Amino acid sequence: MSITAIADPTKPGSLAHRARTRRWAELLRCFPNLADMRVLDLGGTPHAWRLSPVRPAHVVTVNLDPSTAHQTEPDITPLVADACTLLTSGHLAGERFDLAYSNSLMEHVGGHRHRQQFAETVHSCADHHWIQTPYRYFPVEPHWLFPGMQWLPFRARVAVSQHWPYGHISSANRPQATQDVEEVELLSVTEMRSYFPQSHIWFERFAGLPKSLVARK
């Protein structure tokens, strides 16, 4: 089996697909009434919810990708916006949700200040949340599927992004590789707890090792 097949969450039987299934089971254990909830998905897409085992009563997805605006369904409302500036942009002024949800976005928002803004959005928009992000100290970097890449010097990470043929990010040239590397910053447990001090941090594990972190409340 190829590395990409192992890491493809849409491929039944792959390691990534099994991990996603376990994550959904834990989400439903924590929020058994998800089907009745109004959910704010920060960084998600309508397409992802079409594939989900449970559909909430209504979902608002927030994504910078303008193509998501055309993926409308009666119970899914796509919003093209920045998840970190929702509180100041007026996009969701006065709106409340049962659950704020996010999957693998927090490591992409761009530094401490934006992560703080992201966390403020989560706390302000919903009483409950489920915020997942890959764990910095898992031995394989999850975007490039390269062992220990996150601990390499910046120049070496750019070289990996430009030449490593596997993973979910493929950089066509050095400027693109530089940008791709700049846009990923994995988080530690301490950082996650600082943004969500009242939350329980759940460790999603692979082979006994923490693979990703979920702040849930």
Side-chain angles (χ1 to χ4, degrees), residues 115-151:
R115 289 195 295 269
Q116 277 188 318
Q117 292 175 324
F118 174 87
E120 289 168 4
T121 297
V122 170
H123 296 311
S124 298
C125 290
D127 293 328
H128 301 285
H129 56 254
W130 172 281
I131 309 298
Q132 182 271 349
T133 190
Y135 180 45
R136 175 175 173 76
Y137 295 104
F138 185 70
V140 177
E141 204 290 331
H143 301 88
W144 285 271
L145 303 180
F146 189 91
M149 177 180 172
Q150 64 270 40
W151 306 314

PDB file of all heavy atoms in Angstrom, residues 115-151:
ATOM      1  N   ARG A 115      -4.223  32.733  16.228  1.00  0.00           N
ATOM      2  CA  ARG A 115      -4.774  31.613  16.988  1.00  0.00           C
ATOM      3  C   ARG A 115      -5.608  32.120  18.158  1.00  0.00           C
ATOM      4  O   ARG A 115      -6.636  31.534  18.510  1.00  0.00           O
ATOM      5  CB  ARG A 115      -3.653  30.681  17.461  1.00  0.00           C
ATOM      6  CG  ARG A 115      -3.017  29.890  16.328  1.00  0.00           C
ATOM      7  CD  ARG A 115      -2.184  28.736  16.858  1.00  0.00           C
ATOM      8  NE  ARG A 115      -1.028  29.172  17.618  1.00  0.00           N
ATOM      9  CZ  ARG A 115       0.177  29.402  17.103  1.00  0.00           C
ATOM     10  NH1 ARG A 115       0.379  29.254  15.793  1.00  0.00           N
ATOM     11  NH2 ARG A 115       1.181  29.770  17.866  1.00  0.00           N
ATOM     12  N   GLN A 116      -5.152  33.206  18.779  1.00  0.00           N
ATOM     13  CA  GLN A 116      -5.950  33.813  19.846  1.00  0.00           C
ATOM     14  C   GLN A 116      -7.300  34.289  19.316  1.00  0.00           C
ATOM     15  O   GLN A 116      -8.341  34.073  19.952  1.00  0.00           O
ATOM     16  CB  GLN A 116      -5.192  34.996  20.466  1.00  0.00           C
ATOM     17  CG  GLN A 116      -4.175  34.604  21.520  1.00  0.00           C
ATOM     18  CD  GLN A 116      -3.624  35.824  22.224  1.00  0.00           C
ATOM     19  OE1 GLN A 116      -3.327  36.844  21.592  1.00  0.00           O
ATOM     20  NE2 GLN A 116      -3.471  35.741  23.532  1.00  0.00           N
ATOM     21  N   GLN A 117      -7.290  34.941  18.166  1.00  0.00           N
ATOM     22  CA  GLN A 117      -8.537  35.411  17.562  1.00  0.00           C
ATOM     23  C   GLN A 117      -9.456  34.243  17.223  1.00  0.00           C
ATOM     24  O   GLN A 117     -10.675  34.315  17.423  1.00  0.00           O
ATOM     25  CB  GLN A 117      -8.235  36.222  16.299  1.00  0.00           C
ATOM     26  CG  GLN A 117      -7.548  37.539  16.555  1.00  0.00           C
ATOM     27  CD  GLN A 117      -7.175  38.247  15.262  1.00  0.00           C
ATOM     28  OE1 GLN A 117      -6.802  37.602  14.275  1.00  0.00           O
ATOM     29  NE2 GLN A 117      -7.283  39.557  15.259  1.00  0.00           N
ATOM     30  N   PHE A 118      -8.858  33.178  16.712  1.00  0.00           N
ATOM     31  CA  PHE A 118      -9.620  31.978  16.390  1.00  0.00           C
ATOM     32  C   PHE A 118     -10.301  31.439  17.646  1.00  0.00           C
ATOM     33  O   PHE A 118     -11.502  31.117  17.643  1.00  0.00           O
ATOM     34  CB  PHE A 118      -8.686  30.928  15.789  1.00  0.00           C
ATOM     35  CG  PHE A 118      -9.327  29.586  15.536  1.00  0.00           C
ATOM     36  CD1 PHE A 118      -9.985  29.325  14.345  1.00  0.00           C
ATOM     37  CD2 PHE A 118      -9.257  28.587  16.493  1.00  0.00           C
ATOM     38  CE1 PHE A 118     -10.581  28.081  14.114  1.00  0.00           C
ATOM     39  CE2 PHE A 118      -9.842  27.348  16.275  1.00  0.00           C
ATOM     40  CZ  PHE A 118     -10.506  27.105  15.082  1.00  0.00           C
ATOM     41  N   ALA A 119      -9.537  31.323  18.739  1.00  0.00           N
ATOM     42  CA  ALA A 119     -10.097  30.805  19.988  1.00  0.00           C
ATOM     43  C   ALA A 119     -11.199  31.721  20.520  1.00  0.00           C
ATOM     44  O   ALA A 119     -12.212  31.247  21.047  1.00  0.00           O
ATOM     45  CB  ALA A 119      -8.992  30.646  21.026  1.00  0.00           C
ATOM     46  N   GLU A 120     -11.028  33.030  20.374  1.00  0.00           N
ATOM     47  CA  GLU A 120     -12.059  33.972  20.813  1.00  0.00           C
ATOM     48  C   GLU A 120     -13.351  33.785  20.017  1.00  0.00           C
ATOM     49  O   GLU A 120     -14.455  33.875  20.562  1.00  0.00           O
ATOM     50  CB  GLU A 120     -11.544  35.412  20.677  1.00  0.00           C
ATOM     51  CG  GLU A 120     -10.472  35.767  21.702  1.00  0.00           C
ATOM     52  CD  GLU A 120      -9.775  37.078  21.380  1.00  0.00           C
ATOM     53  OE1 GLU A 120     -10.183  37.742  20.392  1.00  0.00           O
ATOM     54  OE2 GLU A 120      -8.826  37.435  22.093  1.00  0.00           O
ATOM     55  N   THR A 121     -13.202  33.499  18.714  1.00  0.00           N
ATOM     56  CA  THR A 121     -14.377  33.210  17.888  1.00  0.00           C
ATOM     57  C   THR A 121     -15.107  31.981  18.419  1.00  0.00           C
ATOM     58  O   THR A 121     -16.334  31.977  18.556  1.00  0.00           O
ATOM     59  CB  THR A 121     -13.956  32.969  16.424  1.00  0.00           C
ATOM     60  OG1 THR A 121     -13.361  34.160  15.895  1.00  0.00           O
ATOM     61  CG2 THR A 121     -15.148  32.576  15.569  1.00  0.00           C
ATOM     62  N   VAL A 122     -14.341  30.934  18.719  1.00  0.00           N
ATOM     63  CA  VAL A 122     -14.929  29.690  19.231  1.00  0.00           C
ATOM     64  C   VAL A 122     -15.690  29.953  20.529  1.00  0.00           C
ATOM     65  O   VAL A 122     -16.854  29.550  20.687  1.00  0.00           O
ATOM     66  CB  VAL A 122     -13.832  28.630  19.451  1.00  0.00           C
ATOM     67  CG1 VAL A 122     -14.391  27.419  20.200  1.00  0.00           C
ATOM     68  CG2 VAL A 122     -13.228  28.204  18.123  1.00  0.00           C
ATOM     69  N   HIS A 123     -15.045  30.649  21.464  1.00  0.00           N
ATOM     70  CA  HIS A 123     -15.664  30.882  22.769  1.00  0.00           C
ATOM     71  C   HIS A 123     -16.898  31.784  22.672  1.00  0.00           C
ATOM     72  O   HIS A 123     -17.849  31.632  23.450  1.00  0.00           O
ATOM     73  CB  HIS A 123     -14.653  31.511  23.717  1.00  0.00           C
ATOM     74  CG  HIS A 123     -13.483  30.637  24.037  1.00  0.00           C
ATOM     75  ND1 HIS A 123     -13.627  29.321  24.429  1.00  0.00           N
ATOM     76  CD2 HIS A 123     -12.139  30.862  24.018  1.00  0.00           C
ATOM     77  CE1 HIS A 123     -12.429  28.780  24.639  1.00  0.00           C
ATOM     78  NE2 HIS A 123     -11.523  29.701  24.390  1.00  0.00           N
ATOM     79  N   SER A 124     -16.888  32.705  21.726  1.00  0.00           N
ATOM     80  CA  SER A 124     -17.962  33.701  21.639  1.00  0.00           C
ATOM     81  C   SER A 124     -19.184  33.195  20.883  1.00  0.00           C
ATOM     82  O   SER A 124     -20.294  33.678  21.121  1.00  0.00           O
ATOM     83  CB  SER A 124     -17.448  34.976  20.953  1.00  0.00           C
ATOM     84  OG  SER A 124     -16.402  35.561  21.692  1.00  0.00           O
ATOM     85  N   CYS A 125     -18.989  32.244  19.966  1.00  0.00           N
ATOM     86  CA  CYS A 125     -20.083  31.840  19.084  1.00  0.00           C
ATOM     87  C   CYS A 125     -20.874  30.633  19.576  1.00  0.00           C
ATOM     88  O   CYS A 125     -21.973  30.371  19.068  1.00  0.00           O
ATOM     89  CB  CYS A 125     -19.545  31.549  17.676  1.00  0.00           C
ATOM     90  SG  CYS A 125     -19.012  33.028  16.792  1.00  0.00           S
ATOM     91  N   ALA A 126     -20.309  29.868  20.521  1.00  0.00           N
ATOM     92  CA  ALA A 126     -20.990  28.636  20.937  1.00  0.00           C
ATOM     93  C   ALA A 126     -20.650  28.286  22.380  1.00  0.00           C
ATOM     94  O   ALA A 126     -19.569  28.610  22.876  1.00  0.00           O
ATOM     95  CB  ALA A 126     -20.598  27.476  20.018  1.00  0.00           C
ATOM     96  N   ASP A 127     -21.566  27.592  23.048  1.00  0.00           N
ATOM     97  CA  ASP A 127     -21.330  27.129  24.414  1.00  0.00           C
ATOM     98  C   ASP A 127     -20.450  25.882  24.435  1.00  0.00           C
ATOM     99  O   ASP A 127     -19.771  25.614  25.426  1.00  0.00           O
ATOM    100  CB  ASP A 127     -22.657  26.821  25.105  1.00  0.00           C
ATOM    101  CG  ASP A 127     -23.500  28.064  25.327  1.00  0.00           C
ATOM    102  OD1 ASP A 127     -22.905  29.143  25.524  1.00  0.00           O
ATOM    103  OD2 ASP A 127     -24.736  27.962  25.295  1.00  0.00           O
ATOM    104  N   HIS A 128     -20.476  25.110  23.350  1.00  0.00           N
ATOM    105  CA  HIS A 128     -19.697  23.881  23.268  1.00  0.00           C
ATOM    106  C   HIS A 128     -18.790  23.919  22.043  1.00  0.00           C
ATOM    107  O   HIS A 128     -19.092  24.608  21.057  1.00  0.00           O
ATOM    108  CB  HIS A 128     -20.628  22.667  23.182  1.00  0.00           C
ATOM    109  CG  HIS A 128     -21.563  22.534  24.337  1.00  0.00           C
ATOM    110  ND1 HIS A 128     -21.156  22.087  25.578  1.00  0.00           N
ATOM    111  CD2 HIS A 128     -22.885  22.814  24.447  1.00  0.00           C
ATOM    112  CE1 HIS A 128     -22.190  22.083  26.405  1.00  0.00           C
ATOM    113  NE2 HIS A 128     -23.252  22.525  25.749  1.00  0.00           N
ATOM    114  N   HIS A 129     -17.686  23.180  22.117  1.00  0.00           N
ATOM    115  CA  HIS A 129     -16.796  23.157  20.968  1.00  0.00           C
ATOM    116  C   HIS A 129     -16.037  21.834  20.872  1.00  0.00           C
ATOM    117  O   HIS A 129     -15.877  21.098  21.850  1.00  0.00           O
ATOM    118  CB  HIS A 129     -15.810  24.335  20.985  1.00  0.00           C
ATOM    119  CG  HIS A 129     -14.982  24.419  22.238  1.00  0.00           C
ATOM    120  ND1 HIS A 129     -15.202  25.370  23.206  1.00  0.00           N
ATOM    121  CD2 HIS A 129     -13.918  23.694  22.682  1.00  0.00           C
ATOM    122  CE1 HIS A 129     -14.328  25.229  24.183  1.00  0.00           C
ATOM    123  NE2 HIS A 129     -13.530  24.208  23.885  1.00  0.00           N
ATOM    124  N   TRP A 130     -15.574  21.589  19.664  1.00  0.00           N
ATOM    125  CA  TRP A 130     -14.735  20.427  19.333  1.00  0.00           C
ATOM    126  C   TRP A 130     -13.714  20.932  18.329  1.00  0.00           C
ATOM    127  O   TRP A 130     -14.023  21.133  17.159  1.00  0.00           O
ATOM    128  CB  TRP A 130     -15.590  19.296  18.757  1.00  0.00           C
ATOM    129  CG  TRP A 130     -14.825  18.114  18.213  1.00  0.00           C
ATOM    130  CD1 TRP A 130     -14.187  18.033  17.007  1.00  0.00           C
ATOM    131  CD2 TRP A 130     -14.621  16.845  18.852  1.00  0.00           C
ATOM    132  NE1 TRP A 130     -13.604  16.803  16.853  1.00  0.00           N
ATOM    133  CE2 TRP A 130     -13.858  16.056  17.966  1.00  0.00           C
ATOM    134  CE3 TRP A 130     -15.019  16.307  20.076  1.00  0.00           C
ATOM    135  CZ2 TRP A 130     -13.485  14.745  18.275  1.00  0.00           C
ATOM    136  CZ3 TRP A 130     -14.643  15.007  20.375  1.00  0.00           C
ATOM    137  CH2 TRP A 130     -13.889  14.235  19.490  1.00  0.00           C
ATOM    138  N   ILE A 131     -12.486  21.192  18.789  1.00  0.00           N
ATOM    139  CA  ILE A 131     -11.459  21.810  17.953  1.00  0.00           C
ATOM    140  C   ILE A 131     -10.270  20.863  17.861  1.00  0.00           C
ATOM    141  O   ILE A 131      -9.580  20.616  18.857  1.00  0.00           O
ATOM    142  CB  ILE A 131     -10.995  23.168  18.532  1.00  0.00           C
ATOM    143  CG1 ILE A 131     -12.207  24.062  18.835  1.00  0.00           C
ATOM    144  CG2 ILE A 131     -10.022  23.838  17.570  1.00  0.00           C
ATOM    145  CD1 ILE A 131     -13.048  24.413  17.636  1.00  0.00           C
ATOM    146  N   GLN A 132     -10.026  20.340  16.659  1.00  0.00           N
ATOM    147  CA  GLN A 132      -8.964  19.361  16.445  1.00  0.00           C
ATOM    148  C   GLN A 132      -7.800  20.000  15.684  1.00  0.00           C
ATOM    149  O   GLN A 132      -8.005  20.826  14.783  1.00  0.00           O
ATOM    150  CB  GLN A 132      -9.518  18.159  15.667  1.00  0.00           C
ATOM    151  CG  GLN A 132      -8.512  17.044  15.421  1.00  0.00           C
ATOM    152  CD  GLN A 132      -7.726  17.217  14.124  1.00  0.00           C
ATOM    153  OE1 GLN A 132      -8.058  18.062  13.298  1.00  0.00           O
ATOM    154  NE2 GLN A 132      -6.687  16.422  13.956  1.00  0.00           N
ATOM    155  N   THR A 133      -6.587  19.593  16.049  1.00  0.00           N
ATOM    156  CA  THR A 133      -5.388  20.022  15.325  1.00  0.00           C
ATOM    157  C   THR A 133      -4.310  18.950  15.484  1.00  0.00           C
ATOM    158  O   THR A 133      -4.248  18.279  16.523  1.00  0.00           O
ATOM    159  CB  THR A 133      -4.887  21.389  15.857  1.00  0.00           C
ATOM    160  OG1 THR A 133      -3.858  21.894  14.993  1.00  0.00           O
ATOM    161  CG2 THR A 133      -4.320  21.260  17.266  1.00  0.00           C
ATOM    162  N   PRO A 134      -3.472  18.739  14.483  1.00  0.00           N
ATOM    163  CA  PRO A 134      -2.402  17.737  14.616  1.00  0.00           C
ATOM    164  C   PRO A 134      -1.427  18.105  15.746  1.00  0.00           C
ATOM    165  O   PRO A 134      -1.189  19.287  16.020  1.00  0.00           O
ATOM    166  CB  PRO A 134      -1.689  17.789  13.254  1.00  0.00           C
ATOM    167  CG  PRO A 134      -2.705  18.338  12.321  1.00  0.00           C
ATOM    168  CD  PRO A 134      -3.520  19.312  13.122  1.00  0.00           C
ATOM    169  N   TYR A 135      -0.888  17.095  16.377  1.00  0.00           N
ATOM    170  CA  TYR A 135       0.030  17.277  17.510  1.00  0.00           C
ATOM    171  C   TYR A 135       1.459  17.479  17.008  1.00  0.00           C
ATOM    172  O   TYR A 135       1.948  16.705  16.186  1.00  0.00           O
ATOM    173  CB  TYR A 135      -0.051  16.049  18.412  1.00  0.00           C
ATOM    174  CG  TYR A 135       0.848  16.087  19.629  1.00  0.00           C
ATOM    175  CD1 TYR A 135       0.948  17.212  20.426  1.00  0.00           C
ATOM    176  CD2 TYR A 135       1.584  14.958  19.985  1.00  0.00           C
ATOM    177  CE1 TYR A 135       1.751  17.225  21.551  1.00  0.00           C
ATOM    178  CE2 TYR A 135       2.385  14.954  21.113  1.00  0.00           C
ATOM    179  CZ  TYR A 135       2.469  16.099  21.894  1.00  0.00           C
ATOM    180  OH  TYR A 135       3.278  16.100  22.997  1.00  0.00           O
ATOM    181  N   ARG A 136       2.094  18.511  17.516  1.00  0.00           N
ATOM    182  CA  ARG A 136       3.437  18.874  17.046  1.00  0.00           C
ATOM    183  C   ARG A 136       4.452  17.747  17.237  1.00  0.00           C
ATOM    184  O   ARG A 136       5.369  17.578  16.415  1.00  0.00           O
ATOM    185  CB  ARG A 136       3.914  20.130  17.782  1.00  0.00           C
ATOM    186  CG  ARG A 136       5.355  20.522  17.462  1.00  0.00           C
ATOM    187  CD  ARG A 136       5.734  21.829  18.105  1.00  0.00           C
ATOM    188  NE  ARG A 136       7.147  22.116  17.949  1.00  0.00           N
ATOM    189  CZ  ARG A 136       7.726  22.544  16.839  1.00  0.00           C
ATOM    190  NH1 ARG A 136       7.007  22.750  15.760  1.00  0.00           N
ATOM    191  NH2 ARG A 136       9.024  22.782  16.790  1.00  0.00           N
ATOM    192  N   TYR A 137       4.318  16.956  18.288  1.00  0.00           N
ATOM    193  CA  TYR A 137       5.372  15.980  18.612  1.00  0.00           C
ATOM    194  C   TYR A 137       5.050  14.559  18.158  1.00  0.00           C
ATOM    195  O   TYR A 137       5.733  13.620  18.583  1.00  0.00           O
ATOM    196  CB  TYR A 137       5.671  16.044  20.111  1.00  0.00           C
ATOM    197  CG  TYR A 137       6.266  17.389  20.480  1.00  0.00           C
ATOM    198  CD1 TYR A 137       5.486  18.356  21.119  1.00  0.00           C
ATOM    199  CD2 TYR A 137       7.573  17.713  20.136  1.00  0.00           C
ATOM    200  CE1 TYR A 137       6.008  19.607  21.417  1.00  0.00           C
ATOM    201  CE2 TYR A 137       8.099  18.955  20.433  1.00  0.00           C
ATOM    202  CZ  TYR A 137       7.316  19.898  21.074  1.00  0.00           C
ATOM    203  OH  TYR A 137       7.837  21.138  21.349  1.00  0.00           O
ATOM    204  N   PHE A 138       4.063  14.393  17.298  1.00  0.00           N
ATOM    205  CA  PHE A 138       3.917  13.099  16.644  1.00  0.00           C
ATOM    206  C   PHE A 138       5.058  12.962  15.636  1.00  0.00           C
ATOM    207  O   PHE A 138       5.413  13.931  14.958  1.00  0.00           O
ATOM    208  CB  PHE A 138       2.569  13.014  15.925  1.00  0.00           C
ATOM    209  CG  PHE A 138       2.288  11.659  15.334  1.00  0.00           C
ATOM    210  CD1 PHE A 138       2.016  10.580  16.162  1.00  0.00           C
ATOM    211  CD2 PHE A 138       2.314  11.451  13.964  1.00  0.00           C
ATOM    212  CE1 PHE A 138       1.768   9.309  15.637  1.00  0.00           C
ATOM    213  CE2 PHE A 138       2.059  10.193  13.423  1.00  0.00           C
ATOM    214  CZ  PHE A 138       1.793   9.124  14.261  1.00  0.00           C
ATOM    215  N   PRO A 139       5.697  11.796  15.526  1.00  0.00           N
ATOM    216  CA  PRO A 139       6.947  11.693  14.754  1.00  0.00           C
ATOM    217  C   PRO A 139       6.834  11.932  13.251  1.00  0.00           C
ATOM    218  O   PRO A 139       7.860  12.204  12.606  1.00  0.00           O
ATOM    219  CB  PRO A 139       7.433  10.267  15.041  1.00  0.00           C
ATOM    220  CG  PRO A 139       6.260   9.541  15.585  1.00  0.00           C
ATOM    221  CD  PRO A 139       5.415  10.556  16.266  1.00  0.00           C
ATOM    222  N   VAL A 140       5.636  11.845  12.677  1.00  0.00           N
ATOM    223  CA  VAL A 140       5.485  12.070  11.235  1.00  0.00           C
ATOM    224  C   VAL A 140       4.656  13.333  11.017  1.00  0.00           C
ATOM    225  O   VAL A 140       3.528  13.433  11.514  1.00  0.00           O
ATOM    226  CB  VAL A 140       4.815  10.876  10.538  1.00  0.00           C
ATOM    227  CG1 VAL A 140       4.610  11.170   9.053  1.00  0.00           C
ATOM    228  CG2 VAL A 140       5.641   9.612  10.718  1.00  0.00           C
ATOM    229  N   GLU A 141       5.205  14.297  10.283  1.00  0.00           N
ATOM    230  CA  GLU A 141       4.477  15.522   9.983  1.00  0.00           C
ATOM    231  C   GLU A 141       3.270  15.164   9.107  1.00  0.00           C
ATOM    232  O   GLU A 141       3.417  14.498   8.090  1.00  0.00           O
ATOM    233  CB  GLU A 141       5.393  16.506   9.249  1.00  0.00           C
ATOM    234  CG  GLU A 141       5.001  17.964   9.381  1.00  0.00           C
ATOM    235  CD  GLU A 141       3.719  18.317   8.625  1.00  0.00           C
ATOM    236  OE1 GLU A 141       3.419  17.655   7.601  1.00  0.00           O
ATOM    237  OE2 GLU A 141       3.020  19.249   9.049  1.00  0.00           O
ATOM    238  N   PRO A 142       2.042  15.568   9.487  1.00  0.00           N
ATOM    239  CA  PRO A 142       0.846  15.032   8.842  1.00  0.00           C
ATOM    240  C   PRO A 142       0.518  15.613   7.466  1.00  0.00           C
ATOM    241  O   PRO A 142      -0.260  15.013   6.721  1.00  0.00           O
ATOM    242  CB  PRO A 142      -0.260  15.364   9.838  1.00  0.00           C
ATOM    243  CG  PRO A 142       0.230  16.607  10.524  1.00  0.00           C
ATOM    244  CD  PRO A 142       1.704  16.427  10.639  1.00  0.00           C
ATOM    245  N   HIS A 143       1.043  16.768   7.121  1.00  0.00           N
ATOM    246  CA  HIS A 143       0.721  17.382   5.839  1.00  0.00           C
ATOM    247  C   HIS A 143       1.610  16.855   4.717  1.00  0.00           C
ATOM    248  O   HIS A 143       1.153  16.604   3.602  1.00  0.00           O
ATOM    249  CB  HIS A 143       0.843  18.900   5.932  1.00  0.00           C
ATOM    250  CG  HIS A 143      -0.041  19.508   6.969  1.00  0.00           C
ATOM    251  ND1 HIS A 143       0.370  19.650   8.289  1.00  0.00           N
ATOM    252  CD2 HIS A 143      -1.305  19.976   6.909  1.00  0.00           C
ATOM    253  CE1 HIS A 143      -0.611  20.199   8.980  1.00  0.00           C
ATOM    254  NE2 HIS A 143      -1.639  20.408   8.178  1.00  0.00           N
ATOM    255  N   TRP A 144       2.893  16.667   5.042  1.00  0.00           N
ATOM    256  CA  TRP A 144       3.846  16.163   4.037  1.00  0.00           C
ATOM    257  C   TRP A 144       4.151  14.673   4.226  1.00  0.00           C
ATOM    258  O   TRP A 144       4.800  14.074   3.385  1.00  0.00           O
ATOM    259  CB  TRP A 144       5.139  16.965   4.096  1.00  0.00           C
ATOM    260  CG  TRP A 144       5.022  18.332   3.495  1.00  0.00           C
ATOM    261  CD1 TRP A 144       5.230  18.677   2.189  1.00  0.00           C
ATOM    262  CD2 TRP A 144       4.686  19.547   4.179  1.00  0.00           C
ATOM    263  NE1 TRP A 144       5.043  20.021   2.008  1.00  0.00           N
ATOM    264  CE2 TRP A 144       4.694  20.589   3.216  1.00  0.00           C
ATOM    265  CE3 TRP A 144       4.364  19.868   5.495  1.00  0.00           C
ATOM    266  CZ2 TRP A 144       4.410  21.919   3.531  1.00  0.00           C
ATOM    267  CZ3 TRP A 144       4.075  21.179   5.803  1.00  0.00           C
ATOM    268  CH2 TRP A 144       4.097  22.196   4.832  1.00  0.00           C
ATOM    269  N   LEU A 145       3.708  14.108   5.360  1.00  0.00           N
ATOM    270  CA  LEU A 145       3.986  12.699   5.682  1.00  0.00           C
ATOM    271  C   LEU A 145       5.482  12.412   5.666  1.00  0.00           C
ATOM    272  O   LEU A 145       5.931  11.363   5.209  1.00  0.00           O
ATOM    273  CB  LEU A 145       3.259  11.768   4.692  1.00  0.00           C
ATOM    274  CG  LEU A 145       1.742  11.954   4.606  1.00  0.00           C
ATOM    275  CD1 LEU A 145       1.142  10.981   3.607  1.00  0.00           C
ATOM    276  CD2 LEU A 145       1.088  11.803   5.969  1.00  0.00           C
ATOM    277  N   PHE A 146       6.243  13.362   6.184  1.00  0.00           N
ATOM    278  CA  PHE A 146       7.702  13.241   6.241  1.00  0.00           C
ATOM    279  C   PHE A 146       8.124  13.159   7.705  1.00  0.00           C
ATOM    280  O   PHE A 146       7.801  14.043   8.505  1.00  0.00           O
ATOM    281  CB  PHE A 146       8.366  14.447   5.572  1.00  0.00           C
ATOM    282  CG  PHE A 146       9.850  14.313   5.391  1.00  0.00           C
ATOM    283  CD1 PHE A 146      10.378  13.771   4.228  1.00  0.00           C
ATOM    284  CD2 PHE A 146      10.730  14.733   6.382  1.00  0.00           C
ATOM    285  CE1 PHE A 146      11.739  13.647   4.040  1.00  0.00           C
ATOM    286  CE2 PHE A 146      12.098  14.604   6.217  1.00  0.00           C
ATOM    287  CZ  PHE A 146      12.607  14.063   5.049  1.00  0.00           C
ATOM    288  N   PRO A 147       8.856  12.115   8.103  1.00  0.00           N
ATOM    289  CA  PRO A 147       9.240  11.943   9.512  1.00  0.00           C
ATOM    290  C   PRO A 147      10.065  13.120  10.036  1.00  0.00           C
ATOM    291  O   PRO A 147      11.094  13.480   9.452  1.00  0.00           O
ATOM    292  CB  PRO A 147      10.069  10.655   9.502  1.00  0.00           C
ATOM    293  CG  PRO A 147       9.584   9.913   8.295  1.00  0.00           C
ATOM    294  CD  PRO A 147       9.273  10.969   7.277  1.00  0.00           C
ATOM    295  N   GLY A 148       9.598  13.725  11.118  1.00  0.00           N
ATOM    296  CA  GLY A 148      10.346  14.764  11.808  1.00  0.00           C
ATOM    297  C   GLY A 148      10.478  16.073  11.062  1.00  0.00           C
ATOM    298  O   GLY A 148      11.264  16.934  11.465  1.00  0.00           O
ATOM    299  N   MET A 149       9.733  16.261  10.016  1.00  0.00           N
ATOM    300  CA  MET A 149       9.886  17.486   9.213  1.00  0.00           C
ATOM    301  C   MET A 149       9.673  18.750  10.042  1.00  0.00           C
ATOM    302  O   MET A 149      10.359  19.761   9.838  1.00  0.00           O
ATOM    303  CB  MET A 149       8.911  17.454   8.041  1.00  0.00           C
ATOM    304  CG  MET A 149       8.942  18.711   7.181  1.00  0.00           C
ATOM    305  SD  MET A 149       7.770  18.613   5.825  1.00  0.00           S
ATOM    306  CE  MET A 149       7.877  20.299   5.197  1.00  0.00           C
ATOM    307  N   GLN A 150       8.725  18.710  10.991  1.00  0.00           N
ATOM    308  CA  GLN A 150       8.382  19.906  11.759  1.00  0.00           C
ATOM    309  C   GLN A 150       9.525  20.387  12.639  1.00  0.00           C
ATOM    310  O   GLN A 150       9.507  21.522  13.108  1.00  0.00           O
ATOM    311  CB  GLN A 150       7.130  19.653  12.609  1.00  0.00           C
ATOM    312  CG  GLN A 150       7.276  18.585  13.690  1.00  0.00           C
ATOM    313  CD  GLN A 150       6.913  17.199  13.197  1.00  0.00           C
ATOM    314  OE1 GLN A 150       7.237  16.826  12.084  1.00  0.00           O
ATOM    315  NE2 GLN A 150       6.232  16.435  14.035  1.00  0.00           N
ATOM    316  N   TRP A 151      10.538  19.553  12.857  1.00  0.00           N
ATOM    317  CA  TRP A 151      11.668  19.945  13.710  1.00  0.00           C
ATOM    318  C   TRP A 151      12.898  20.347  12.896  1.00  0.00           C
ATOM    319  O   TRP A 151      13.932  20.683  13.474  1.00  0.00           O
ATOM    320  CB  TRP A 151      12.024  18.785  14.645  1.00  0.00           C
ATOM    321  CG  TRP A 151      10.831  18.319  15.423  1.00  0.00           C
ATOM    322  CD1 TRP A 151       9.917  19.084  16.079  1.00  0.00           C
ATOM    323  CD2 TRP A 151      10.412  16.966  15.619  1.00  0.00           C
ATOM    324  NE1 TRP A 151       8.951  18.294  16.657  1.00  0.00           N
ATOM    325  CE2 TRP A 151       9.230  16.984  16.396  1.00  0.00           C
ATOM    326  CE3 TRP A 151      10.929  15.728  15.225  1.00  0.00           C
ATOM    327  CZ2 TRP A 151       8.549  15.829  16.776  1.00  0.00           C
ATOM    328  CZ3 TRP A 151      10.244  14.577  15.600  1.00  0.00           C
ATOM    329  CH2 TRP A 151       9.074  14.638  16.365  1.00  0.00           C
TER     330      TRP A 151
END
